[in-house]
Amino acid sequence: VMLRDRPGPEGDELLGTYREQAHALAEAGVDLIALEMIGSPDYGAPALEAAAETGLPVWLGVSCEAAAGGGLQTVGPPHVDLAELLRALLGPEIAVVTVMHTELGLVDASLAAVRGHWDGPVGVYPESGRWEPPEWVFADISPAAFAAEARRWVAQGVQLVGGCCGIRPQHIRALGETLPSRLPGLGPEAP
């Protein structure tokens, strides 16, 4: 990923690098390509193009934070307005949009922003805590509270639920114990 404050490939060279990675993954037999923490069309567009060329399902993962003037922006740098990013990248090659590595308190607003531009499947795997170098500082959310939030998201149409930084195995276990194994109408029921 090329960020403004880090040197790296640009233009055709960046697209070529992403193509090499995407095709290596496809040849290795992956089921899908998840583009995570896509925060700018500058690198998101070539990553999406390369992933789509494989013919595999492509998931677009957006990480959101509150913007200084209100609204939502991508975690950066660069910081891009979330709506701007979605307008630039969403298209038929996307199979799922996920709100990921986003604070629990911003998930609802982030989902609303995504739903304003996307009517396909959505997922949520938020973070809990914060990075204080050299380590992640865990926030206190109980597994039961996390599962309750997940039930709310599922009731709002979220089809994929998981966790990112700060979400521990006991949180995921609580999801497995409280969420349905399949949503009604989305495929065969689990035995």
Side-chain angles (χ1 to χ4, degrees), residues 88-167:
L89 295 181
L90 290 178
E93 62 278 355
I94 303 289
V96 176
V97 176
T98 60
V99 173
M100 52 84 52
H101 193 65
T102 296
E103 291 177 21
L104 281 163
L106 292 176
V107 167
D108 288 340
S110 300
L111 278 173
V114 167
R115 285 290 191 204
H117 298 274
W118 173 254
D119 61 0
V122 294
V124 173
Y125 45 109
E127 68 184 27
S128 178
R130 66 192 176 285
W131 175 250
E132 288 185 14
E135 61 194 20
W136 189 263
V137 177
F138 292 89
D140 289 327
I141 182 167
S142 72
F146 182 67
E149 286 295 301
R151 282 192 303 275
R152 270 189 341 90
W153 302 327
V154 169
Q156 296 172 26
V158 170
Q159 296 157 306
L160 302 160
V161 179
C164 197
C165 302
I167 301 299

